């Protein structure tokens, strides 16, 4: 007898609540419901808010106030209560011209925390780069509080506000990634064009998705580009990307960060999803789940080790939930409409689980845990101050001086090595003893190669000299 | 080895495939076949007798068993569209094809080829022009498809059809709906042009006709088995929006897109209703009954969906609604359209 049924995914944890918005104008609340108090259950649409017609272009969710901001394609913004979907405030479009409104949909939206520096307000950015900070709490305040233009030409596709709510990043098609201070509404930093390639062509900026890598530091930004790349920018270090990795052969459409501070989840327009380690730029894992359409939005659950990927349009009008640890598909639900964005409503915080980082979750044995901790310490503390200059230096000094430069680097490294690095070495020694020198840590390898190369070169030189003498 | 020999020696009642002597094996096999056939005949006879009996008694006959096929054992799919779905109706009212189905816009097609093409592709285009009304052929030259999309939208075309070929044989079809998309990419295979459609001796007499020549009437459209939401988008909207909505029934022309196991079969026919006299065995009387006869007009080909792109053609920065990937083929009973 052939298999006539599909394999059912195992189900999601019962305290899960996700809010999903679609291009037709509906806001749908999806919950996992375990039968008879079971821990896991299939996904189900619990509520549907809104009317068809006024399509949604962007949403934002504020965890502290349990409110949801929804931007319609017409340019209007609605603030909804995330518990029952009732509208508590409405902001009309800033565009007075009806024709312009259609072309100038809101591409980025952020609802501020109530206790944050901006209070009850919303930051929106339209495709033309018209950013506006508006309040909806008190009527006396001027509306908008501030309004500025992010770019002269091009199309803004992504806007993110950092967790501290002081800084926002903007980027888009022909709009280079830039950081703006929200208080003074002035540009703080702007990325630089990438270097021309071997033919001499410079690719135009095409930022499709962006996110801040760390919660407490706004200086590390991860973006996805239309040129299939995932890039890490470090405002502190340089204006060009620190790490750039290409992922498959279609534009990246969604990027989400993990609270562990280095893992990034990436989705592209042909429905591939993967996670990257942004310290090294290495692909950690891909996610399976029969994704067939463009990934529009990825959301990471704040407390549980889950990500929801909301896959856009077509047959794939699906919401999918993956486990980060096993990378298994836990549940999926067909939501009938082309989806735009998804957020996790963490209101039902029943779990007392501490915040797990992906690296810790993936580790199984003690040894691995040690390794991770070491890596973490190492990279977190030293990487961005130590490693980058090292990468840079050989570029500055050209070939003839390379040998010296390498030596200098090592020397400086040793000088800079402080307590964490010493600990690291000790731990590594221990590990090597345990493993029987099978698995050598990466950093050591890099050093080895740098130290070896000049030696080889010198050898070559000496052989060349010998040859010459022979010829003579 | 020993066990096999033993089985062989058992003689009758064993699998014929285990018999080593060819003559005996074929004999045994033929015997088995005969018996099976006989048993089947008896079974059918008994079933028919039972049905007849039931009808005479005025009872409902026992239900006939339906054979298990790949189609009816298809894996259940949650994306299959239900007609009473209110969200579906709302979606239909606002999607890219709404203008066509509200009769605000009549279809106007642009048809071209890939950059270098051969005779067979031209012939196919010529025939497609006679199938789909209001189609204009434009020479491709060296224009890029993106440029073509721009030009065509300026000239108020509603769709572009591009035929690709490989080794002088048409093998691909791209349909771009204008001005907002979507774009579908199909693999084209099993092409039979009009002149190649010929009656075979093995055909039944009602079909033993050569190809017909289509008239200029607007054709009727048959769309079969497009069930899922993707299927709807492809079949109901993409294909249907290429044709006019009110067919001329006088012309008796039908264009069929028949989906079976994700392969879309394209056929073009002319039908006729003919009174036909039939003799019945016992009574020697002639009865006249109206019979529908079909004549194929061609061309005939098969399409397989490779990808559906959101928006107009853009392979570099485009976003896909659906792409076929090899890891989707987990079961031969899983279909997407």
């Amino acid at each position: 007898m052939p298999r006539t049924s599909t394999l059912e995914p195992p189900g999601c944890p019962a305290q899960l609540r996700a809010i999903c918005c679609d291009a037709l104008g509906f806001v749908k609340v999806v919950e996992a419901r375990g039968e008879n108090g079971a821990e896991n259950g299939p996904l189900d649409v619990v509520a549907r808010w809104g009317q068809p017609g006024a399509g949604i272009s962007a949403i934002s969710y504020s965890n502290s106030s349990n409110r949801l901001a929804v931007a319609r394609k017409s340019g209007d913004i609605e603030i909804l209560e995330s518990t029952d979907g009732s509208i508590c405030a409405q902001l009309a479009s800033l565009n007075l011209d009806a024709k312009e409104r259609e072309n100038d949909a809101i591409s980025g939206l952020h609802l501020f925390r109530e206790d944050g520096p901006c209070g009850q307000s919303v930051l929106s950015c339209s495709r033309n780069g018209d950013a506006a900070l508006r309040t909806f709490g008190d009527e006396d305040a001027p509306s908008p509080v501030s309004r500025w233009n992010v770019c002269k030409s091009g199309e803004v596709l992504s806007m993110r506000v950092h967790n501290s709510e002081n800084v926002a990043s903007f980027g888009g098609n022909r709009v280079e990634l830039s950081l703006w201070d929200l208080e003074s509404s002035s540009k703080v930093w702007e990325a630089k064009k990438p270097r021309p390639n071997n033919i001499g062509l410079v690719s135009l900026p095409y930022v499709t998705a962006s996110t801040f890598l760390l919660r407490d530091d706004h200086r590390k930004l991860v973006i996805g580009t239309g040129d299939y790349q995932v890039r890490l920018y470090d405002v502190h270090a340089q204006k060009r990307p620190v790490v750039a990795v290409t992922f498959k052969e279609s534009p990246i459409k969604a990027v989400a960060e993990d609270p562990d501070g280095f893992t990034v989840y990436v989705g592209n327009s042909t429905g591939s999803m993967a996670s990257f380690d942004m310290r090294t730029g290495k692909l950690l894992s891909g996610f399976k789940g029969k994704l067939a359409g463009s990934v529009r939005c990825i959301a990471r659950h704040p407390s549980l080790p889950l990500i929801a990927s909301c896959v856009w349009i077509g047959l794939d009008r699906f919401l999918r939930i993956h486990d980060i640890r096993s990378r298994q598909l836990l549940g999926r639900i067909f939501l009938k409409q082309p989806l735009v964005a998804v957020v996790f409503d963490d209101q039902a915080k029943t779990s007392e689980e501490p915040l797990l980082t992906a690296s810790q979750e993936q580790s199984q044995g003690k040894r691995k845990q040690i390794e991770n901790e070491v890596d973490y310490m190492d990279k977190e503390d030293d990487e961005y101050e130590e490693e980058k200059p090292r990468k840079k230096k050989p570029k500055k000094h050209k070939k003839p001086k390379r040998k010296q430069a390498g030596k200098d680097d090592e020397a400086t490294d040793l000088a800079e090595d402080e307590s964490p690095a010493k600990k690291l070495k000790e731990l590594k020694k221990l590990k090597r003893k345990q493993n029987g020198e099978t698995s050598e840590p990466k950093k050591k390898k890099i050093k080895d190669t740098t130290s070896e190369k000049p030696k080889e070169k010198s050898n070559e030189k000496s052989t060349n000299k010998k040859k010459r003498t022979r010829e003579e | 080895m020993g066990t096999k020999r033993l089985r062989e020696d058992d003689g009758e009642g064993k699998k014929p495939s285990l018999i080593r002597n060819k003559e005996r094996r074929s004999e045994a096999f033929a015997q088995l076949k005969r018996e099976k056939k006989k048993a089947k005949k008896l079974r059918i006879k008994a079933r028919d007798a039972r049905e007849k009996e039931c009808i005479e008694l005025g009872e409902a006959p026992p239900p006939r068993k339906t054979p298990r096929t790949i189609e009816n054992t298809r894996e259940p799919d949650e994306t299959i569209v239900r007609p009473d779905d209110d969200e579906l109706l709302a979606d239909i009212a606002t999607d890219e094809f709404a203008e066509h189905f509200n009769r605000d816009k009549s279809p106007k097609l642009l048809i071209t080829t890939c950059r270098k093409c051969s005779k067979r592709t031209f012939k196919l285009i010529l025939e497609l022009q006679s199938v789909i009304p209001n189609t204009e052929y434009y020479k491709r030259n060296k224009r890029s498809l993106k440029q073509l999309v721009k030009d065509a939208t300026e000239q108020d075309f509603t769709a572009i059809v591009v035929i690709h070929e490989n080794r002088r044989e048409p093998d691909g079809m791209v349909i771009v709906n204008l001005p907002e998309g979507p774009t579908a990419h199909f693999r084209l295979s099993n092409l039979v042009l009009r002149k190649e459609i010929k009656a075979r001796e093995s055909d039944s007499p009602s079909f033993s006709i050569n190809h017909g020549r289509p008239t200029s009437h607007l054709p009727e459209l048959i769309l079969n088995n497009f069930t899922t939401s993707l299927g709807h988008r492809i079949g109901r909207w993409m294909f249907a929006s290429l044709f006019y909505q009110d067919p001329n029934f006088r012309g008796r022309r039908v264009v069929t897109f028949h989906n079976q196991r994700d392969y879309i079969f394209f056929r073009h026919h002319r039908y006729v209703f003919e009174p036909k006299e039939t003799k019945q065995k016992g009574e020697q009387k002639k009865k006249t009954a109206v019979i529908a006869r079909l004549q194929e007009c061609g061309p005939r080909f098969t399409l397989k969906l490779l990808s559906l792109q959101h928006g107009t053609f853009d392979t570099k920065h485009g976003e896909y609604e659906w792409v076929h990937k090899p890891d989707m083929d987990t079961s031969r009973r899983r279909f997407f359209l």
Side-chain angles (χ1 to χ4, degrees), chain A residues 253-291:
Chain A
K253 284 286 166 184
V255 171
E257 84 284 3
D258 195 274
D260 69 1
F262 55 84
T263 313
V264 163
Y265 305 100
V266 169
N268 74 4
S269 77
T270 47
S272 300
M273 244 175 63
S275 61
F276 279 92
D277 184 346
M278 278 335 274
R279 298 170 304 184
T280 53
K282 272 189 180 169
L283 180 80
L284 291 177
S285 64
F287 288 87
K288 281 186 178 177
K290 293 167 189 166
L291 294 93

Short mmCIF file of all heavy atoms in Angstrom, two decimals, chain A residues 253-291:
data_model
loop_
_atom_site.label_atom_id
_atom_site.label_comp_id
_atom_site.label_asym_id
_atom_site.label_seq_id
_atom_site.Cartn_x
_atom_site.Cartn_y
_atom_site.Cartn_z
N LYS A 253 16.50 38.01 1.15
CA LYS A 253 15.30 38.79 1.40
C LYS A 253 15.01 39.00 2.88
O LYS A 253 14.24 39.89 3.24
CB LYS A 253 14.09 38.09 0.74
CG LYS A 253 14.04 38.25 -0.75
CD LYS A 253 13.61 39.64 -1.12
CE LYS A 253 13.89 39.91 -2.59
NZ LYS A 253 13.58 41.27 -2.97
N ALA A 254 15.57 38.19 3.73
CA ALA A 254 15.28 38.35 5.15
C ALA A 254 16.52 38.00 5.96
O ALA A 254 17.24 37.05 5.64
CB ALA A 254 14.12 37.47 5.55
N VAL A 255 16.75 38.78 7.00
CA VAL A 255 17.86 38.53 7.91
C VAL A 255 17.35 38.70 9.33
O VAL A 255 16.62 39.64 9.62
CB VAL A 255 19.02 39.53 7.65
CG1 VAL A 255 20.07 39.42 8.72
CG2 VAL A 255 19.65 39.30 6.30
N ALA A 256 17.69 37.76 10.21
CA ALA A 256 17.29 37.91 11.61
C ALA A 256 18.46 37.49 12.49
O ALA A 256 19.21 36.58 12.13
CB ALA A 256 16.08 37.05 11.91
N GLU A 257 18.62 38.17 13.62
CA GLU A 257 19.76 37.88 14.47
C GLU A 257 19.33 36.97 15.62
O GLU A 257 18.16 36.91 15.99
CB GLU A 257 20.38 39.17 15.00
CG GLU A 257 19.73 39.77 16.24
CD GLU A 257 18.41 40.48 15.96
OE1 GLU A 257 17.95 40.46 14.80
OE2 GLU A 257 17.84 41.02 16.91
N ASP A 258 20.31 36.29 16.18
CA ASP A 258 20.06 35.44 17.33
C ASP A 258 20.56 36.18 18.57
O ASP A 258 21.55 36.90 18.49
CB ASP A 258 20.82 34.12 17.15
CG ASP A 258 20.33 33.06 18.11
OD1 ASP A 258 20.82 33.01 19.25
OD2 ASP A 258 19.44 32.30 17.71
N PRO A 259 19.90 36.01 19.72
CA PRO A 259 20.39 36.71 20.91
C PRO A 259 21.79 36.30 21.35
O PRO A 259 22.39 36.98 22.17
CB PRO A 259 19.34 36.38 21.97
CG PRO A 259 18.40 35.42 21.38
CD PRO A 259 18.58 35.43 19.93
N ASP A 260 22.33 35.23 20.83
CA ASP A 260 23.69 34.84 21.25
C ASP A 260 24.77 35.79 20.72
O ASP A 260 25.90 35.76 21.18
CB ASP A 260 24.00 33.40 20.85
CG ASP A 260 24.13 33.22 19.35
OD1 ASP A 260 24.01 34.21 18.63
OD2 ASP A 260 24.33 32.08 18.91
N GLY A 261 24.43 36.63 19.77
CA GLY A 261 25.37 37.67 19.36
C GLY A 261 26.23 37.34 18.17
O GLY A 261 27.06 38.14 17.78
N PHE A 262 26.11 36.18 17.61
CA PHE A 262 26.90 35.92 16.39
C PHE A 262 26.14 35.13 15.33
O PHE A 262 26.50 35.16 14.18
CB PHE A 262 28.23 35.23 16.71
CG PHE A 262 28.09 33.95 17.49
CD1 PHE A 262 27.83 32.77 16.85
CD2 PHE A 262 28.23 33.96 18.88
CE1 PHE A 262 27.72 31.60 17.57
CE2 PHE A 262 28.11 32.79 19.59
CZ PHE A 262 27.86 31.61 18.95
N THR A 263 25.09 34.43 15.71
CA THR A 263 24.35 33.66 14.71
C THR A 263 23.35 34.56 14.00
O THR A 263 22.73 35.41 14.61
CB THR A 263 23.60 32.51 15.38
OG1 THR A 263 24.47 31.84 16.26
CG2 THR A 263 23.08 31.52 14.36
N VAL A 264 23.25 34.34 12.70
CA VAL A 264 22.32 35.11 11.90
C VAL A 264 21.53 34.17 11.01
O VAL A 264 22.10 33.24 10.44
CB VAL A 264 23.09 36.15 11.05
CG1 VAL A 264 22.25 36.67 9.93
CG2 VAL A 264 23.56 37.29 11.91
N TYR A 265 20.22 34.38 10.92
CA TYR A 265 19.39 33.55 10.05
C TYR A 265 19.08 34.31 8.78
O TYR A 265 18.75 35.49 8.83
CB TYR A 265 18.11 33.16 10.77
CG TYR A 265 18.38 32.48 12.08
CD1 TYR A 265 18.31 33.18 13.28
CD2 TYR A 265 18.81 31.16 12.10
CE1 TYR A 265 18.62 32.58 14.47
CE2 TYR A 265 19.14 30.56 13.30
CZ TYR A 265 19.04 31.27 14.48
OH TYR A 265 19.36 30.66 15.65
N VAL A 266 19.20 33.61 7.67
CA VAL A 266 19.13 34.27 6.38
C VAL A 266 18.16 33.53 5.48
O VAL A 266 18.14 32.30 5.45
CB VAL A 266 20.54 34.27 5.74
CG1 VAL A 266 20.48 34.69 4.31
CG2 VAL A 266 21.48 35.18 6.50
N GLY A 267 17.33 34.27 4.77
CA GLY A 267 16.42 33.64 3.81
C GLY A 267 16.51 34.34 2.48
O GLY A 267 16.72 35.55 2.44
N ASN A 268 16.38 33.60 1.37
CA ASN A 268 16.51 34.26 0.07
C ASN A 268 15.25 34.11 -0.77
O ASN A 268 14.25 33.54 -0.34
CB ASN A 268 17.76 33.78 -0.66
CG ASN A 268 17.63 32.39 -1.21
OD1 ASN A 268 16.58 31.77 -1.12
ND2 ASN A 268 18.70 31.90 -1.77
N SER A 269 15.31 34.64 -1.99
CA SER A 269 14.08 34.78 -2.76
C SER A 269 13.65 33.50 -3.46
O SER A 269 12.59 33.46 -4.05
CB SER A 269 14.26 35.89 -3.79
OG SER A 269 15.03 35.42 -4.85
N THR A 270 14.48 32.47 -3.43
CA THR A 270 14.01 31.21 -4.01
C THR A 270 13.65 30.21 -2.91
O THR A 270 13.45 29.04 -3.17
CB THR A 270 15.08 30.57 -4.91
OG1 THR A 270 16.32 30.58 -4.23
CG2 THR A 270 15.20 31.29 -6.22
N GLY A 271 13.55 30.69 -1.69
CA GLY A 271 13.08 29.82 -0.61
C GLY A 271 14.16 28.95 0.00
O GLY A 271 13.90 27.80 0.33
N SER A 272 15.36 29.50 0.17
CA SER A 272 16.39 28.77 0.92
C SER A 272 16.62 29.50 2.22
O SER A 272 16.66 30.73 2.25
CB SER A 272 17.69 28.71 0.15
OG SER A 272 17.49 28.08 -1.06
N MET A 273 16.78 28.74 3.29
CA MET A 273 17.05 29.37 4.57
C MET A 273 18.26 28.73 5.21
O MET A 273 18.46 27.53 5.12
CB MET A 273 15.84 29.23 5.48
CG MET A 273 15.23 30.55 5.83
SD MET A 273 13.76 30.33 6.76
CE MET A 273 14.36 29.55 8.21
N ALA A 274 19.08 29.55 5.89
CA ALA A 274 20.28 29.01 6.52
C ALA A 274 20.68 29.90 7.68
O ALA A 274 20.19 31.02 7.81
CB ALA A 274 21.42 28.95 5.51
N SER A 275 21.56 29.39 8.53
CA SER A 275 22.11 30.23 9.58
C SER A 275 23.61 30.36 9.38
O SER A 275 24.27 29.41 8.94
CB SER A 275 21.79 29.64 10.95
OG SER A 275 22.36 28.38 11.09
N PHE A 276 24.12 31.54 9.67
CA PHE A 276 25.54 31.83 9.50
C PHE A 276 26.16 32.23 10.83
O PHE A 276 25.49 32.84 11.67
CB PHE A 276 25.72 33.00 8.52
CG PHE A 276 25.63 32.59 7.09
CD1 PHE A 276 24.43 32.65 6.41
CD2 PHE A 276 26.74 32.15 6.41
CE1 PHE A 276 24.33 32.27 5.09
CE2 PHE A 276 26.66 31.78 5.09
CZ PHE A 276 25.45 31.83 4.44
N ASP A 277 27.42 31.90 11.00
CA ASP A 277 28.19 32.42 12.12
C ASP A 277 28.90 33.67 11.61
O ASP A 277 29.77 33.57 10.76
CB ASP A 277 29.19 31.35 12.58
CG ASP A 277 29.96 31.79 13.80
OD1 ASP A 277 29.91 33.00 14.11
OD2 ASP A 277 30.61 30.94 14.43
N MET A 278 28.53 34.83 12.11
CA MET A 278 29.06 36.06 11.53
C MET A 278 30.48 36.37 11.98
O MET A 278 31.10 37.28 11.47
CB MET A 278 28.15 37.25 11.84
CG MET A 278 26.95 37.40 10.94
SD MET A 278 27.08 36.70 9.32
CE MET A 278 27.86 37.98 8.40
N ARG A 279 30.99 35.64 12.97
CA ARG A 279 32.38 35.89 13.36
C ARG A 279 33.32 35.39 12.28
O ARG A 279 34.34 35.99 11.97
CB ARG A 279 32.69 35.17 14.67
CG ARG A 279 31.85 35.67 15.81
CD ARG A 279 32.01 34.79 17.00
NE ARG A 279 31.68 33.40 16.69
CZ ARG A 279 31.67 32.44 17.58
NH1 ARG A 279 31.95 32.70 18.83
NH2 ARG A 279 31.35 31.21 17.24
N THR A 280 32.98 34.24 11.73
CA THR A 280 33.85 33.63 10.72
C THR A 280 33.24 33.71 9.33
O THR A 280 33.93 33.51 8.35
CB THR A 280 34.08 32.15 11.05
OG1 THR A 280 32.79 31.55 11.22
CG2 THR A 280 34.88 32.01 12.31
N GLY A 281 31.93 33.96 9.26
CA GLY A 281 31.26 33.95 7.97
C GLY A 281 30.98 32.56 7.46
O GLY A 281 30.81 32.34 6.28
N LYS A 282 30.95 31.61 8.39
CA LYS A 282 30.73 30.22 7.97
C LYS A 282 29.25 29.85 8.03
O LYS A 282 28.54 30.29 8.93
CB LYS A 282 31.53 29.27 8.85
CG LYS A 282 32.92 29.05 8.33
CD LYS A 282 33.59 27.96 9.09
CE LYS A 282 35.00 27.75 8.56
NZ LYS A 282 35.78 26.90 9.43
N LEU A 283 28.86 29.04 7.09
CA LEU A 283 27.49 28.52 7.09
C LEU A 283 27.36 27.49 8.20
O LEU A 283 28.11 26.52 8.23
CB LEU A 283 27.20 27.89 5.73
CG LEU A 283 25.82 27.28 5.54
CD1 LEU A 283 24.82 28.37 5.22
CD2 LEU A 283 25.84 26.27 4.42
N LEU A 284 26.43 27.72 9.12
CA LEU A 284 26.26 26.75 10.20
C LEU A 284 25.34 25.62 9.78
O LEU A 284 25.62 24.46 9.97
CB LEU A 284 25.69 27.44 11.44
CG LEU A 284 26.61 28.43 12.16
CD1 LEU A 284 25.88 29.06 13.30
CD2 LEU A 284 27.84 27.72 12.68
N SER A 285 24.20 26.00 9.22
CA SER A 285 23.25 24.96 8.84
C SER A 285 22.21 25.52 7.90
O SER A 285 21.96 26.72 7.86
CB SER A 285 22.55 24.44 10.09
OG SER A 285 21.79 25.48 10.66
N GLY A 286 21.61 24.64 7.14
CA GLY A 286 20.48 25.01 6.31
C GLY A 286 19.21 24.52 6.97
O GLY A 286 19.26 23.66 7.84
N PHE A 287 18.10 25.07 6.57
CA PHE A 287 16.82 24.62 7.13
C PHE A 287 16.00 23.97 6.04
O PHE A 287 15.82 24.54 4.97
CB PHE A 287 16.06 25.80 7.72
CG PHE A 287 16.67 26.30 8.99
CD1 PHE A 287 17.66 27.25 8.97
CD2 PHE A 287 16.26 25.81 10.21
CE1 PHE A 287 18.24 27.71 10.13
CE2 PHE A 287 16.82 26.27 11.37
CZ PHE A 287 17.81 27.22 11.35
N LYS A 288 15.49 22.80 6.33
CA LYS A 288 14.64 22.13 5.35
C LYS A 288 13.18 22.35 5.72
O LYS A 288 12.87 22.75 6.82
CB LYS A 288 14.95 20.64 5.34
CG LYS A 288 16.20 20.32 4.57
CD LYS A 288 16.36 18.83 4.48
CE LYS A 288 17.59 18.48 3.67
NZ LYS A 288 17.80 17.05 3.63
N GLY A 289 12.32 22.03 4.83
CA GLY A 289 10.90 22.17 5.14
C GLY A 289 10.09 22.44 3.89
O GLY A 289 9.03 23.01 3.93
N LYS A 290 10.64 22.03 2.74
CA LYS A 290 9.94 22.17 1.47
C LYS A 290 9.51 23.61 1.22
O LYS A 290 8.36 23.89 0.90
CB LYS A 290 8.74 21.23 1.43
CG LYS A 290 9.16 19.79 1.39
CD LYS A 290 7.99 18.88 1.66
CE LYS A 290 8.45 17.46 1.82
NZ LYS A 290 7.44 16.62 2.39
N LEU A 291 10.42 24.52 1.42
CA LEU A 291 10.12 25.91 1.14
C LEU A 291 10.14 26.11 -0.37
O LEU A 291 11.09 25.74 -1.02
CB LEU A 291 11.16 26.82 1.77
CG LEU A 291 11.22 26.86 3.28
CD1 LEU A 291 12.21 25.87 3.80
CD2 LEU A 291 11.58 28.24 3.76
#
